[in-house]
Amino acid sequence: MSMADPVDIIEHAASTGQWRHYDGSALPASLAAALEVFAEQGYHGTTIRQVAGRAGLSVPGLYHHYPSKQALLAGIVDASMDELLSRSFAAEREAGDEPLARYDAVIESLLRFHMHRRNQAFVTSSELRSLEPEARARHIDQRDRQQRQVDTIVVDGANAGVFAAEYPLDAARAAVTMCVAVASWYRPGGAMSVDELVPRYAELARRLVGYRPS
């Protein structure tokens, strides 16, 4: 199955305001195959031969694109975080200047990503320990950038009197953690759809930061 270039998907989401929409996988075929097997068996329980078979390639053919199993994992993590950040910042830009609108948009973006890209989110989080130092440091930097985005919005809201959380940075971290955790339990076809869950969890996120209607 052919996959769209993740860069094209990300640029489209950022440039046309389509950050809410997910049309299939944004991963190349080899990474999509590796993601499926890593999600099923774990990184250390997966062989290159299994990934190649899932991708419909020979082992040499897979090595032509990704020279090692570690390169596959790093590729998944990098692509996932690039897409997550692109969608988050596109959502914030589209929301305007008001802290509440920015917060709602970014929380919605995080929730949608962790449901629509739940396998990517799960593997990215659970296999952090399996990344080699350079790739791990790159991932942590990207993860911290995401957290700083939400931190800034919540502090802006607290300074404006819109959010009443006694500890704004702790509240911001709790909100992000809640969004990330959705990937561990959400399943397509469950009792509630993405569009039903987003407003419920967005309301919970507002409560975490002590939103006070004027």
Side-chain angles (χ1 to χ4, degrees):
M1 179 173 62
S2 62
M3 299 291 176
D5 186 332
V7 173
D8 291 341
I9 295 264
I10 292 166
E11 288 182 351
H12 178 72
S15 64
T16 67
Q18 298 299 308
W19 54 269
R20 287 186 174 93
H21 303 296
Y22 289 80
D23 297 318
S25 175
L27 295 175
S30 297
L31 291 186
L35 175 65
E36 289 179 1
V37 187
F38 291 162
E40 292 168 7
Q41 301 179 186
Y43 175 78
H44 291 292
T46 296
T47 67
I48 283 288
R49 187 170 298 280
Q50 288 172 322
V51 175
R54 189 71 61 95
L57 296 170
S58 65
V59 171
L62 180 62
Y63 278 138
H64 177 72
H65 300 286
Y66 295 93
S68 66
K69 189 169 72 167
Q70 179 65 203
L72 288 164
L73 179 60
I76 290 168
V77 171
D78 286 344
S80 300
M81 291 306 297
D82 284 348
E83 183 180 7
L84 174 65
L85 287 167
S86 177
R87 289 180 183 273
S88 300
F89 281 96
E92 184 180 6
R93 285 195 301 271
E94 187 178 286
D97 296 328
E98 293 298 322
L100 179 62
R102 290 158 55 206
Y103 182 70
D104 284 347
V106 173
I107 291 297
E108 179 182 350
S109 180
L110 288 171
L111 287 168
R112 288 186 182 279
F113 181 89
H114 284 89
M115 286 186 273
H116 286 291
R117 302 284 192 245
R118 63 188 183 88
N119 278 350
Q120 287 176 234
F122 173 73
V123 168
T124 294
S125 175
S126 64
E127 296 296 352
L128 175 62
R129 65 189 183 278
S130 303
L131 286 170
E132 292 179 352
E134 182 178 349
R136 186 184 304 118
R138 187 166 61 249
H139 168 62
I140 290 171
D141 181 67
Q142 291 172 309
R143 187 182 64 188
D144 289 349
R145 185 182 174 198
Q146 178 68 82
Q147 184 63 55
R148 286 194 301 271
Q149 180 190 22
V150 180
D151 291 350
T152 298
I153 295 170
V154 174
V155 169
D156 287 349
N159 290 339
V162 178
F163 301 148
E166 186 174 0
Y167 305 106
L169 294 180
D170 292 315
R173 186 164 297 280
V176 171
T177 300
M178 179 186 72
C179 294
V180 171
V182 168
S184 68
W185 58 261
Y186 170 76
R187 295 293 181 272
M192 296 183 71
S193 68
V194 172
D195 288 334
E196 290 171 323
L197 284 166
V198 164
R200 179 175 294 190
Y201 276 77
E203 176 61 27
L204 293 174
R206 282 185 171 193
R207 295 181 187 182
L208 282 171
V209 297
Y211 168 59
R212 298 188 300 192
S214 30

